[in-house]
Amino acid sequence: MFRRPLIFLIALLAMPATIEAQQERLIPLIDGRTCWTETSNRCFRYNANRRTATRAGFGNVRVPTDFEVKPGFITESGFVSIERAISKQVGGQVYGR
């Protein structure tokens, strides 16, 4: 009688969490123009020597080395963080320096 719920509970606990099992897509961090996808307008200009990102009309934002999960690649969340840091700039203030 209690066998089925116990087996179901053990099977449920043994399954890997699907959210944790999914990995974020890696985006190449290109010296020059880095974009969300090849055809996307979501882009920023990246300078590999200074490790900064910028968009027209905004100042530079420092790209931390820990954003690179693999040499030359950042995650989607890293890309979004850089975009937000660039967009949050107001007036002459430059964040992330």
Side-chain angles (χ1 to χ4, degrees), residues 41-59:
N41 287 331
R42 289 178 67 182
C43 302
F44 56 80
R45 297 203 66 66
Y46 176 69
N47 183 321
N49 294 331
R50 294 181 11 214
R51 298 197 54 79
T52 57
T54 190
R55 200 177 295 139
F58 294 93

Side-chain angles (χ1 to χ4, degrees), residues 13-93:
L13 292 174
M15 286 179 20
T18 57
I19 294 172
E20 293 175 356
Q22 294 176 352
Q23 292 183 345
E24 288 187 87
R25 178 177 66 95
L26 296 180
I27 299 171
L29 193 56
I30 300 168
D31 189 18
R33 189 174 168 146
T34 296
C35 296
W36 183 258
T37 61
E38 287 183 29
T39 58
S40 175
N41 287 331
R42 289 178 67 182
C43 302
F44 56 80
R45 297 203 66 66
Y46 176 69
N47 183 321
N49 294 331
R50 294 181 11 214
R51 298 197 54 79
T52 57
T54 190
R55 200 177 295 139
F58 294 93
N60 293 334
V61 171
R62 184 105 175 93
V63 178
T65 54
D66 60 335
F67 274 25
E68 283 190 66
V69 290
K70 259 171 74 172
F73 289 90
I74 58 175
T75 60
E76 290 175 330
S77 60
F79 185 94
V80 170
S81 296
I82 293 168
E83 276 189 321
R84 284 185 182 151
I86 293 170
S87 297
K88 283 183 180 179
Q89 295 175 11
V90 179
Q93 296 177 345

Side-chain angles (χ1 to χ4, degrees), residues 5-18:
L6 182 62
I7 292 172
F8 177 74
L9 180 62
I10 291 171
L12 185 63
L13 292 174
M15 286 179 20
T18 57

